[in-house]
Amino acid sequence: MKAVCWFGKEDVRVENVPDPSILNPRDVIVRITRTAICGSDLHLYGGFIPSMEQGDVVGHEFMGEIVEVGREVRKLKVGDRVVVPFTICCGQCWHCKHELWSCCENTNPNAWMGEALFGYTTAGLFGYSHMTGGYAGGQAQFARVPHADVGCLKIESDLPDDKVLFLSDIFPTGYMAAENCNIHPGDVIAVFGCGPVGQFAIRSAYMLGASRVIAVDRIPERIALAQRANAETINADEVGDVAEAIKELSGGRGPDACIDAVGMEADGHDFLAMVDKTKFRLGAQTGRPTALRECIQVCRPAGTVSVPGVYGGLVDKIPMGAFMNKGLHMASGQTHMIKYMKPLLERVERGEIDPSEIISHRVPLQDAPQMYQTFRNKQDHCIKVVMDPWAERRAA
Ligand SMILES: [Zn+2]
Ligand SMILES: [Zn+2]
């Protein structure tokens, strides 16, 4: 089959690799009909995630049709159409039983790596390094899905792939980020970063009862898309001081919650951002937390900072004084996918949201190397890339 393989920093290629097969009795094989590039795939592309190996198949947002089932699969059958969550969960361990799905204890065969870095392992992830299990990803024509009964979301309506594909990651991720803000009617929520997760965080904050959402970015088309969801927007390149602009927009009190939908590769222009860039380049820290710092600084006292943005290891100069003295709460985590997929599918079915509105590019899988570059460089008004693994390449 064809699959997108990682070979090094800024080097992904579409290669022919062996088809996956059933390895465990609870596996299914999915013939993938749609797959997407996630913002977090750009951290792999940039070479910032350790424990990648040459030839690893990447991708963790995918859906398709089941073509083979293991002998202990109970709820799924050949021909079912499913969305696959990016986390792999056993359904049996303490964390799974408490609906803390992304902390599954049983699905990372390289648990020792997680333990060394985080104290305890978390769930195995598709296509996201050997530290999270070394599972082959879904930017491919087929994928093996372990513990399929636990994770796979069956799509029984005739909604097109483009409307349900993002239930595999970014819609639940944006939703959990908003839910983590513990929104009360009348609340003002600030969202840093209007990429795909930021867009879903904005829409979810309104669904959960926020009265106003203030969104910050630098890219005009992302700001325009946030405005379409009724966010009040701030272009960080146009206002001198983002913190001051947010303070003004929130009546001088500050937002009730701030969402960092940027993560470890934030672009900043202040002194600390310059220090970050240097230390990052030297390998002395593993992220540039400009957005996180701003969230802590801008949030009103006793408010909440919610962090869906991805971080890997260590970051510096977190304003712990502001965090402690203001009595902030922080909530984060890889998304507890299985808790959210079904209820959010129902919202899509009821027409409350059309996730496909954020798609900017629909391309054949073969175009992946070019699209990684375009997406990373935010060129060609790129917001979200969706790929068809079976389409022929366009004529040049
Ligand atoms: Zn993702
Ligand atoms: Zn588990």
Side-chain angles (χ1 to χ4, degrees), residues 243-300:
E244 202 51 46
I246 292 178
K247 192 172 180 182
E248 225 165 85
L249 277 175
S250 53
R253 194 172 62 196
D256 300 287
C258 292
I259 297 177
D260 169 7
V262 178
M264 62 191 276
E265 289 187 66
D267 284 319
H269 300 288
D270 60 0
F271 173 71
L272 285 180
M274 275 157 43
V275 175
D276 285 336
K277 270 178 202 158
T278 309
K279 293 186 71 172
F280 196 58
R281 218 173 288 134
L282 295 172
Q285 70 185 48
T286 56
R288 308 189 301 256
T290 300
L292 180 58
R293 285 186 196 118
E294 283 178 343
C295 285
I296 293 172
Q297 211 64 32
V298 165
C299 193
R300 75 154 163 81

Side-chain angles (χ1 to χ4, degrees), residues 1-7 13 15-18 32 44 52-60 125-130 134-143 372:
M1 67 164 182
K2 291 190 170 59
V4 180
C5 300
W6 183 94
F7 280 89
R13 305 174 203 165
E15 299 276 303
N16 285 310
V17 304
I32 296 169
L44 302 175
M52 288 295 290
E53 289 173 17
Q54 290 208 338
D56 282 349
V57 177
V58 293
H60 58 265
L125 308 179
F126 287 103
Y128 215 77
S129 85
H130 289 262
Y135 291 96
Q139 287 168 12
Q141 291 182 310
F142 295 96
Y372 265 82

Side-chain angles (χ1 to χ4, degrees), residues 10-186:
E10 294 171 21
D11 183 3
V12 295
R13 305 174 203 165
V14 178
E15 299 276 303
N16 285 310
V17 304
D19 288 1
S21 55
I22 301 273
L23 297 182
N24 292 303
R26 295 188 179 96
D27 294 349
V28 302
I29 304 294
V30 174
R31 178 190 186 272
I32 296 169
T33 51
R34 281 289 184 286
T35 177
I37 306 178
C38 180
S40 63
D41 290 327
L42 298 179
H43 307 315
L44 302 175
Y45 186 66
F48 301 125
I49 304 290
S51 78
M52 288 295 290
E53 289 173 17
Q54 290 208 338
D56 282 349
V57 177
V58 293
H60 58 265
E61 299 180 354
F62 59 98
M63 64 177 296
E65 187 189 325
I66 294 178
V67 292
E68 206 183 332
V69 298
R71 63 173 194 281
E72 283 175 31
V73 172
R74 299 284 174 258
K75 299 183 191 159
L76 302 165
K77 58 181 190 311
V78 169
D80 283 347
R81 189 175 167 229
V82 292
V83 175
V84 180
F86 73 98
T87 51
I88 302 168
C89 307
C90 77
Q92 300 296 324
C93 71
W94 188 91
H95 285 94
C96 284
K97 288 217 186 301
H98 287 78
E99 286 208 290
L100 302 167
W101 301 99
S102 75
C103 308
C104 177
E105 302 149 42
N106 283 330
T107 52
N108 182 0
N110 299 323
W112 64 273
M113 289 191 194
E115 284 163 11
L117 204 56
F118 303 140
Y120 301 88
T121 186
T122 51
L125 308 179
F126 287 103
Y128 215 77
S129 85
H130 289 262
M131 181 169 87
T132 62
Y135 291 96
Q139 287 168 12
Q141 291 182 310
F142 295 96
R144 178 178 77 92
V145 178
H147 300 286
D149 275 339
V150 182
C152 289
L153 174 73
K154 235 195 270 192
I155 306 294
E156 287 167 302
S157 62
D158 56 2
L159 283 169
D161 284 9
D162 286 355
K163 290 198 187 213
V164 293
L165 172 62
F166 302 144
L167 293 166
S168 61
D169 178 0
I170 52 174
F171 182 15
T173 296
Y175 187 88
M176 187 172 102
E179 194 185 71
N180 276 340
C181 294
N182 190 22
I183 295 172
H184 293 86

Side-chain angles (χ1 to χ4, degrees), residues 26 160 168 199 284 322 350 354:
R26 295 188 179 96
S168 61
Q199 297 291 340
R350 289 197 297 266
D354 175 4

